[in-house]
Amino acid sequence: VHSSGILYPRESESRELVSLDGIWKFRISTAEDQEDGFRNKWFSTGFDEWIHMPVPSSYNDVTANSTLRDFVGWAWYQRSFFAPKRWWTDQQRVVLRFGSVHYTTVVWVNGKEACVHSGGHLPFQADVTELLLYGSANLLTVAVNNTLTLITVPQGHIDHPNNTGRYPPGTVLYHHDFDFFNYAGIHRPVYLYTTPQTYIDDITVVTDIDDDMGIIKYKVEYQNKYKDLPSVPQCRVFVLDKEGTKLTSIKGLVGKIHIPKANFWWPHLTHPNPGYLYTLEVHLFSDSSEDIYRLPVGIRKVTWNTTTFFINNIPTYMRGFGRHEDSNIRGRGLDYPLLVRDYNLITWIGANSYRTSHYPYAEETLDMADALGIMIIDESPACTIDYFTDELLLKHKEVMAEIIMRDKNRPSVVMWSLANEPKSFKNESSAYFSALVNLTKSLDPTRPVTFVTSQYSNTDKAVQFMDVVCVNRYPAWYSDSGHTDLIQRQVKYELTLWHLMFNKPVLVTEYGAGSVVGMHTAPSSMWTEDYQVVTLKEHFKAFDTLYQDGFLMGEMIWNFADFSTPQDSYLSFYRIYSSRRLQEGIVYSRRQPKMAAHVTRWRYWTLAHKS
Ligand code: GCB
């Protein structure tokens, strides 16, 4: 659990920011000797052999080599950089921050260990002030291991088969139960940034509305690098509107600001000006310095009852998707053109929401959701938990604390999802999820908490603790394949049962069918675009009747775009395209629409105009 904040690095009058993204040196450990890099101290000697590797990116798909695509173990990155002398003379604190590295990471600066982190989708940082050489070159080394075990989040399995007739000695078979490729590497931006020695460590904002008044409650936490502050620093906080005009200011590390006739944060297509963001400009004064940090703030209120979800007291129906951070070549690496293209497609289709299935997405990605008014269900990386142990629970709690620390201030984040499709028919899932909900609520009492189930209302042991029922269902695809004629009946029946059983709003977090772009038949048959369209349309009809019953909170198609699946998964023989790319998207991997995107667009814009 973070003992300190993890604010996004932003430059200001008191902070410098240097990007370390680019082409790094890269090599992997040999299959027979996973410890070679540690033993030979690659972190101080440098690499003798290496290839070029882009950062940020997954390393799996950038070469034409299956060894690297399918690699499991320690992979090594290295680069050098300069730290200006003035950072030292100005007594700056220097922090090295990674947006995310998948999964277990060790970082060295000039041969000395700077930090260790485990967990693939969240930021971490280290104070490197004392490790740097100022005014000369510094060597940065990152070792990353993508091995998943029963106590990582997500869980993975490694088999050591002992049948030497079929497998040579030493064979390692790697499996996981989740349905996406386990991309690895330095996935998000790497920054060096500076702060004064007394610095703003964290800001927490909770907003509320009262008639047309916006209310911002804030708390600023500070730290001093040397811990011996002579006096408590002074704090002054300004609120700026979208145009940058200062509206008001207030003194104190903790406070409550009132904005009369405020512009509230609204979702896409519910208001002429969705995603309105104010700026909270925080100034922290100590005896010798001033630190300044600007935080975007959207003023909105999230509430829910047993049937309905509200934004700013208005019933809000979610029209959206499940997604993946996935694309050709770069895998899960952050890519700005792709990011903007995806949002342009999402808003063109008329969606107002998506779930960050099945892990927390990049901060840069959520920044755009904040600014465009896209509601986010922020999901932890706990996909398909199979074995519920105390050790896993501990790690899972740590991950929830890290997600909330990172995303607590985002207006776009309207719900936390603890997990996707855990084996929640098992009795032990009950105590596990009850503990996790309690922790999440204690860290953030303002947002609903859920997890996404694939169970049935009479088999699930954990949905009872959640605020909202989120279910994944595949009628006419995984069950009663080919029978699109059964969809309406089955959807209505099952969703109604869920509501009757738990008396909570119901959100369909996955449904749909796979299709290969350009493949058509009449009548429609599985894997054609026609079949995908029929599947969606039958669901739309079912949702329309349920909508009138009043407990349906929204609909999310699986998936926004085609994504990669591994060849060694239990599902791989269902998967087309050398089992490598799952075709469930309504846009395909080059981010162009399939027929289903046009049909969804028609649906979502119609829904938006109805509400
Ligand atoms: C699910 C999973 C998702 C899969 C999808 C499928 O229920 O949550 O990760 O990709 O089904 O098609 O198997």
Side-chain angles (χ1 to χ4, degrees):
V1 177
H2 281 292
S3 54
S4 53
I6 190 82
L7 290 173
Y8 190 74
R10 294 177 200 280
E11 40 183 355
S12 73
E13 295 83 335
S14 61
R15 295 178 171 224
E16 280 188 53
L17 191 63
V18 175
S19 166
L20 296 182
D21 296 349
I23 306 294
W24 293 37
K25 294 179 179 176
F26 177 88
R27 67 177 298 181
I28 51 176
S29 301
T30 49
E32 312 76 53
D33 184 7
Q34 275 296 305
E35 296 303 310
D36 49 0
F38 294 92
R39 222 187 25 257
N40 297 320
K41 297 200 166 45
W42 289 348
F43 46 85
S44 29
T45 58
F47 302 162
D48 45 7
E49 281 170 47
W50 50 271
I51 61 170
H52 296 99
M53 187 56 66
V55 170
S57 176
S58 299
Y59 57 68
N60 308 82
D61 289 350
V62 297
T63 70
N65 164 343
S66 67
T67 310
L68 191 52
R69 183 191 64 193
D70 301 333
F71 180 72
V72 180
W74 287 104
W76 293 73
Y77 288 78
Q78 201 160 65
R79 67 162 286 163
S80 62
F81 64 89
F82 281 84
K85 258 193 184 140
R86 67 170 185 285
W87 287 357
W88 183 252
T89 45
D90 293 351
Q91 298 194 326
Q92 295 297 291
R93 162 182 170 261
V94 188
V95 182
L96 173 63
R97 188 190 197 269
F98 293 82
S100 81
V101 186
H102 187 76
Y103 180 88
T104 304
T105 311
V106 188
V107 179
W108 295 263
V109 174
N110 297 323
K112 297 207 183 76
E113 189 176 299
C115 63
V116 177
H117 182 258
S118 85
H121 312 84
L122 290 161
F124 57 92
Q125 61 184 23
D127 180 334
V128 294
T129 317
E130 276 79 29
L131 298 180
L132 294 181
L133 301 170
Y134 294 88
S136 64
N138 292 274
L139 181 68
L140 171 59
T141 310
V142 175
V144 49
N145 194 323
N146 59 347
T147 305
L148 300 178
T149 68
L150 294 184
I151 54 165
T152 57
V153 178
Q155 286 180 326
H157 307 251
I158 290 180
D159 289 344
H160 302 274
N162 52 17
N163 175 351
T164 50
R166 307 191 62 189
Y167 303 96
T171 301
V172 176
L173 297 179
Y174 187 74
H175 300 289
H176 38 67
D177 286 343
F178 52 81
D179 184 38
F180 53 88
F181 192 81
N182 189 35
Y183 279 117
I186 303 180
H187 280 158
R188 297 180 190 157
V190 184
Y191 284 113
L192 269 182
Y193 70 90
T194 66
T195 73
Q197 292 186 357
T198 302
Y199 58 94
I200 299 162
D201 180 48
D202 195 20
I203 305 170
T204 306
V205 157
V206 174
T207 63
D208 202 352
I209 66 170
D210 182 7
D211 211 2
D212 63 358
M213 175 85 77
I215 300 162
I216 305 174
K217 286 178 254 173
Y218 72 88
K219 181 166 145 205
V220 175
E221 283 163 87
Y222 66 90
Q223 293 221 18
N224 182 272
K225 194 168 156 46
Y226 300 107
K227 311 268 182 226
D228 53 350
L229 270 193
S231 58
V232 175
Q234 300 292 308
C235 183
R236 183 162 203 112
V237 173
F238 298 87
V239 177
L240 284 71
D241 67 12
K242 209 168 186 167
E243 282 69 46
T245 309
K246 284 192 175 151
L247 300 178
T248 178
S249 88
I250 178 173
K251 277 190 185 157
L253 291 160
V254 177
K256 190 170 175 179
I257 303 167
H258 290 85
I259 315 270
K261 296 205 171 40
N263 286 301
F264 297 154
W265 186 93
W266 292 102
H268 179 54
L269 299 184
T270 54
H271 190 270
N273 198 359
Y276 192 98
L277 296 176
Y278 290 89
T279 300
L280 197 75
E281 187 180 299
V282 178
H283 295 240
L284 184 82
F285 305 92
S286 70
D287 292 346
S288 54
S289 65
E290 175 181 6
D291 190 17
I292 304 177
Y293 188 89
R294 292 178 179 81
L295 181 77
V297 174
I299 300 177
R300 60 106 181 93
K301 176 178 167 181
V302 171
T303 46
W304 63 99
N305 61 21
T306 58
T307 57
T308 314
F309 175 78
F310 305 85
I311 298 276
N312 304 333
N313 302 325
I314 304 288
T316 302
Y317 187 78
M318 293 189 168
R319 317 177 296 268
F321 305 101
R323 297 186 62 196
H324 266 296
E325 283 187 319
D326 176 293
S327 81
N328 291 338
I329 305 170
R330 47 194 75 55
R332 249 184 260 312
L334 179 77
D335 179 80
Y336 290 111
L338 180 80
L339 174 63
V340 176
R341 172 72 183 174
D342 278 356
Y343 275 105
N344 284 333
L345 288 168
I346 287 169
T347 51
W348 173 76
I349 289 169
N352 63 4
S353 55
Y354 67 83
R355 174 169 62 119
T356 67
S357 42
H358 296 308
Y359 35 79
Y361 290 4
E363 291 156 282
E364 294 77 4
T365 307
L366 297 184
D367 283 346
M368 284 205 50
D370 286 338
L372 294 172
I374 301 296
M375 294 178 283
I376 299 294
I377 301 177
D378 201 348
E379 184 157 282
S380 96
C383 193
T384 332
I385 305 176
D386 200 346
Y387 304 100
F388 300 90
T389 59
D390 290 346
E391 238 176 327
L392 183 73
L393 180 58
L394 207 65
K395 181 66 197 167
H396 200 158
K397 284 181 170 173
E398 194 180 299
V399 168
M400 287 316 301
E402 284 184 41
I403 297 176
I404 293 169
M405 177 60 90
R406 191 192 73 162
D407 293 343
K408 62 188 170 185
N409 296 325
R410 293 188 176 278
S412 61
V413 173
V414 296
M415 181 149 58
W416 305 112
S417 167
L418 304 173
N420 179 67
E421 299 196 353
K423 302 272 162 73
S424 52
F425 61 87
K426 294 188 176 179
N427 285 330
E428 50 287 18
S429 71
S430 182
Y432 185 98
F433 277 102
S434 151
L436 217 48
V437 171
N438 289 344
L439 172 91
T440 308
K441 295 254 172 199
S442 73
L443 295 172
D444 176 16
T446 71
R447 292 175 176 91
V449 179
T450 192
F451 79 94
V452 172
T453 187
S454 56
Q455 295 305 305
Y456 293 89
S457 46
N458 57 353
T459 57
D460 192 283
K461 302 287 193 306
V463 163
Q464 54 177 318
F465 305 111
M466 306 300 143
D467 294 310
V468 171
V469 180
C470 287
V471 326
N472 295 346
R473 275 294 172 272
Y474 288 92
W477 188 249
Y478 291 127
S479 61
D480 297 309
S481 308
H483 278 281
T484 48
D485 53 316
L486 298 176
I487 290 173
Q488 288 193 51
R489 171 182 286 264
Q490 294 187 355
V491 169
K492 280 189 246 172
Y493 176 72
E494 280 190 29
L495 297 189
T496 307
L497 276 183
W498 277 108
H499 178 65
L500 292 178
M501 186 91 144
F502 293 104
N503 198 27
K504 298 172 196 286
V506 178
L507 174 65
V508 180
T509 33
E510 288 183 25
Y511 71 99
S515 72
V516 180
V517 66
M519 199 150 94
H520 294 277
T521 59
S524 74
S525 52
M526 291 179 80
W527 293 110
T528 61
E529 291 205 40
D530 314 72
Y531 191 89
Q532 187 180 32
V533 164
V534 174
T535 303
L536 298 185
K537 282 170 96 175
E538 288 303 300
H539 277 85
F540 297 160
K541 291 181 208 158
F543 295 151
D544 278 342
T545 54
L546 288 171
Y547 189 57
Q548 284 149 23
D549 293 346
F551 63 81
L552 194 65
M553 205 185 109
E555 49 189 75
M556 294 191 166
I557 295 168
W558 190 257
N559 186 290
F560 169 68
D562 294 346
F563 59 93
S564 273
T565 54
Q567 300 187 88
D568 59 3
S569 116
Y570 69 110
L571 280 172
S572 50
F573 46 83
Y574 289 126
R575 304 302 192 218
I576 245 158
Y577 201 137
S578 321
S579 307
R580 279 275 294 147
R581 197 156 276 280
L582 180 56
Q583 311 284 322
E584 283 173 325
I586 68 163
V587 308
Y588 71 103
S589 53
R590 293 179 66 180
R591 264 47 183 199
Q592 301 298 344
K594 293 184 191 170
M595 226 163 93
H598 293 280
V599 175
T600 308
R601 178 166 192 254
W602 179 263
R603 163 89 181 159
Y604 283 3
W605 280 87
T606 310
L607 283 175
H609 288 132
K610 261 205 293 203
S611 58

